[in-house]
Amino acid sequence: MVSLLLTLVLGAALAACASGPPGSSTSENTTESQAMPTPNPWLTDSAYPISHVNPAATDSTSLPGPEVGRQLTVQDVRTHPTVFTSNPTVKKIGADSVIFAAGAHGIDKFYASDGALQPVGFLPYPGHEDAAAKADPKALADLLVRTDEAYRAKDEARLLALSKDAAELGFNRDNIANGAYNMIDRDGFHYAAVSGMRIVKSTDDNDPHKPPRVDKVVELADTLPPGLPTDVVAAVSDPKAKIVALGMTYDGHVVAAASAALFLLDRDLTIKGVLPFQGEQMENNVAIDESGIYAVTSRHMMKVVWTGDRLSTDETDGGWISDYDTMSPDQATAAGALTLSGGSGTTPTLMGFGDDADKLVLISDANPDGPNLVAFWRDRIPEGFTAKPGTRSARIAGQVPIDVAEVTIELSPNVVGYGALVASTAYPDPVRDIWGNVFTAGVTRPAPKGLQKFQWDPGTHSFTQVWANREIDNSDVIVPGVSASTGLIYAANKTNGRYEITGVDWETGQTAARWPFADDSRIWNCFGGITAILDNGDLLVGGLFSIKRIHAGPA
């Protein structure tokens, strides 16, 4: 979803251990060389062209991130005010870099060369002009001051009451998904899903110093092709309907999905195909490879292929559908799951690229007795392979219990090679609204904690648990970034209620480095996004209150 904000001063003891043992570094403990997803030629060639880093949604990169922890200063973190931004995307224009940060009310563009986060222009979404003007930097600063005061007093009632003020500025269920799914194509056009069923396509004419402008806006509900089932038309046309997925196929089509249907569009945003979902809901983004689109609904995992004239899940066309373990909506509500349909909470993640023997797609299921990490065969089921005990079909290559969480995992797994990382995000003592969970968990209420890594063995077609780290505070519900080069997981964490970036060793699960923010402000939260690693090793995150570019390398 949405990326989110930063700065922390931890006490002298924490500052002293921020860099680990004297001279410590993870450079000698890196992951082995691993195959990465094939770059999509229809996306811009950059460090972060699309939500989830790449179409495979691995949330990992070969770029090196920072390695040696240290206390961050205010000067180390460049910030820009925002109501809420999930995950900014990046493009290159010649030798220059620019960042597009699609948020609650519009798109901020930044000149980003040489470590900069220099504002170039703000493009409000059509219809959001008044709301964007209301949520000005002064209003955001005032809300931040009051939030910090309530935090420092550990006054839960005041923290919860501020949710109403945040909602009036735009942090509410109507706006929180705006811009969360965004991407930049190879010609430099930016696409963002906003305000329900709309896609905003914008451009800066590939000028690094020119503000963005609207190129086209499409309301999918107004351009539906004839012949769709009436219940699907009604669901897509419902004012509460939202786009929950946005991606690009390897032949240059835009993929969008709402709860009731998957859409394929050309890059001029003309609908070319629709795959309705009946009796099930889609709530997560998609993963894409050269041969298809991988989507999970509240009841099924599926591979969708474009035949040239229709979207298909038929095996004769190269598609498929598989059951997986789910629970009822009532069970999901009672268990405290964030995904209330009773289905998977995760965006599917691809595993296996290049010459890798096994090509898989991973999700967390929603087994009522506890979630499993489930791997499905992406292509043909190997000859002679039969359904394993406890699985729902032979399409499932293997599955393993996730024991750091009691309900379905909400964050997309991270994948490097045959390793997969999951993070627990179920609030142990939740409140009714998102704001309340963000700012009380780990402060006045317990936080969701835990990272767990699994390894796939292509010889036995099975997972093994490698390690579990039960210390990382996942209150911000942010997908960690993973560098295959440095062998570190970059997780948004809190220690004693104060924000930091924590480097966790990919191989061992041990904390390898800490980057505490400059003070105890709530501006440093990273809620609802994905940690991006940029070309120069800086980290990029969004969140509530501010967008943040973090220089965590040598001072």
Side-chain angles (χ1 to χ4, degrees):
M1 275 182 47
V2 224
S3 278
L4 313 159
L5 324 151
L6 312 145
T7 285
L8 287 177
V9 194
L10 303 180
L14 180 56
C17 71
S19 59
S24 65
S25 170
T26 61
S27 60
E28 296 181 359
N29 188 23
T30 59
T31 59
E32 64 273 22
S33 177
Q34 304 285 6
M36 287 286 172
T38 303
N40 187 325
W42 293 90
L43 291 174
T44 191
D45 184 13
S46 79
Y48 205 97
I50 189 171
S51 302
H52 290 292
V53 185
N54 52 54
T58 64
D59 294 307
S60 64
T61 179
S62 58
L63 292 171
E67 295 185 70
V68 179
R70 63 182 176 86
Q71 175 69 55
L72 297 174
T73 67
V74 171
Q75 289 72 32
D76 289 323
V77 186
R78 301 182 185 277
T79 66
H80 185 79
T82 185
V83 173
F84 175 68
T85 296
S86 180
N87 42 294
T89 47
V90 181
K91 76 171 178 177
K92 290 281 196 179
I93 302 175
D96 290 313
S97 293
V98 298
I99 292 170
F100 287 89
H105 296 309
I107 303 166
D108 279 293
K109 177 188 170 181
F110 302 95
Y111 180 77
S113 297
D114 301 320
L117 189 72
Q118 178 183 327
V120 175
F122 175 73
L123 175 65
Y125 305 132
H128 279 252
E129 294 84 358
D130 291 344
K134 181 179 179 182
D136 62 17
K138 184 178 183 299
L140 289 170
D142 174 70
L143 179 60
L144 176 61
V145 167
R146 289 183 288 138
T147 305
D148 284 345
E149 289 173 347
Y151 159 71
R152 288 165 187 151
K154 303 298 185 288
D155 189 333
E156 180 172 291
R158 286 168 62 190
L159 281 171
L160 295 176
L162 289 169
S163 177
K164 179 180 178 181
D165 297 331
E168 289 177 353
L169 293 182
F171 184 73
N172 53 53
R173 291 188 181 275
D174 290 336
N175 296 319
I176 194 171
N178 286 349
Y181 305 108
N182 70 116
M183 62 186 179
I184 306 170
D185 75 10
R186 69 179 185 183
D187 296 322
F189 289 95
H190 181 267
Y191 302 77
V194 305
S195 299
M197 294 297 294
R198 285 196 298 168
I199 300 175
V200 176
K201 180 182 178 183
S202 61
T203 181
D204 59 1
D205 300 306
N206 287 325
D207 183 335
H209 303 291
K210 188 175 182 179
R213 61 178 174 82
V214 172
D215 180 76
K216 191 170 186 179
V217 180
V218 170
E219 173 68 56
L220 294 185
D222 294 340
T223 58
L224 295 175
L228 291 177
T230 55
D231 59 337
V232 172
V233 173
V236 171
S237 303
D238 188 312
K240 295 181 180 179
K242 293 182 183 297
I243 294 174
V244 298
L246 192 67
M248 184 77 73
T249 66
Y250 279 73
D251 63 357
H253 286 96
V254 174
V255 178
S259 176
L262 181 76
F263 297 84
L264 191 85
L265 306 93
D266 63 24
R267 289 191 300 141
D268 289 326
L269 301 182
T270 300
I271 295 176
K272 310 298 288 185
V274 182
L275 180 69
F277 303 131
Q278 294 181 283
E280 52 193 318
Q281 297 174 253
M282 187 169 170
E283 299 173 288
N284 306 289
N285 208 346
V286 296
I288 299 171
D289 68 7
E290 297 92 326
S291 65
I293 303 159
Y294 302 87
V296 63
T297 72
S298 56
R299 292 293 173 262
H300 297 103
M301 179 68 217
M302 61 185 69
K303 179 178 183 178
V304 183
V305 297
W306 173 242
T307 67
D309 57 14
R310 66 188 180 94
L311 291 169
S312 171
T313 56
D314 293 345
E315 292 200 9
T316 55
D317 294 321
W320 50 261
I321 295 179
S322 174
D323 290 341
Y324 67 93
D325 288 342
T326 63
M327 62 178 73
S328 71
D330 287 344
Q331 286 174 312
T333 301
L338 299 181
T339 301
L340 298 181
S341 69
S344 172
T346 50
T347 290
T349 299
L350 306 189
M351 173 181 278
F353 307 100
D355 294 331
D356 290 342
D358 289 349
K359 305 293 196 299
L360 309 169
V361 54
L362 313 183
I363 62 167
S364 164
D365 70 12
N367 188 302
D369 296 325
N372 297 286
L373 181 64
V374 184
F376 301 81
W377 299 110
R378 291 210 313 261
D379 303 316
R380 289 182 179 273
I381 299 172
E383 187 174 350
F385 184 86
T386 57
K388 292 184 175 181
T391 64
R392 299 293 294 272
S393 77
R395 176 59 60 180
I396 295 176
Q399 63 186 41
V400 64
I402 299 169
D403 58 23
V404 295
E406 296 181 359
V407 295
T408 184
I409 295 293
E410 301 292 339
L411 299 178
S412 176
N414 298 80
V415 164
V416 178
Y418 283 129
L421 178 78
V422 297
S424 173
T425 52
Y427 295 98
D429 185 15
V431 294
R432 287 185 175 272
D433 71 345
I434 298 170
W435 169 280
N437 285 323
V438 175
F439 291 119
T440 64
V443 178
T444 61
R445 294 178 182 235
K449 290 188 175 185
L451 303 176
Q452 192 165 22
K453 183 187 171 187
F454 300 90
Q455 192 75 18
W456 177 259
D457 184 341
T460 61
H461 301 319
S462 63
F463 282 113
T464 56
Q465 182 187 144
V466 181
W467 53 257
N469 179 325
R470 301 178 188 274
E471 301 304 316
I472 298 298
D473 177 329
N474 298 318
S475 302
D476 277 345
V477 193
I478 176 172
V479 179
V482 179
S483 167
S485 176
T486 59
L488 282 182
I489 301 157
Y490 300 94
N493 185 26
K494 290 202 299 292
T495 298
N496 298 324
R498 298 187 176 197
Y499 294 104
E500 64 177 46
I501 300 296
T502 302
V504 177
D505 189 287
W506 177 257
E507 300 297 340
T508 68
Q510 298 298 308
T511 295
R514 296 182 186 273
W515 291 274
F517 288 104
D519 58 38
D520 69 347
S521 175
R522 303 297 88 180
I523 193 174
W524 311 119
N525 80 87
C526 303
F527 172 72
I530 300 165
T531 305
I533 303 168
L534 301 181
D535 288 336
N536 71 340
D538 284 359
L539 305 178
L540 179 67
V541 293
L544 281 149
F545 295 120
S546 73
I547 299 154
K548 297 160 284 289
R549 179 174 186 160
I550 308 163
H551 175 64

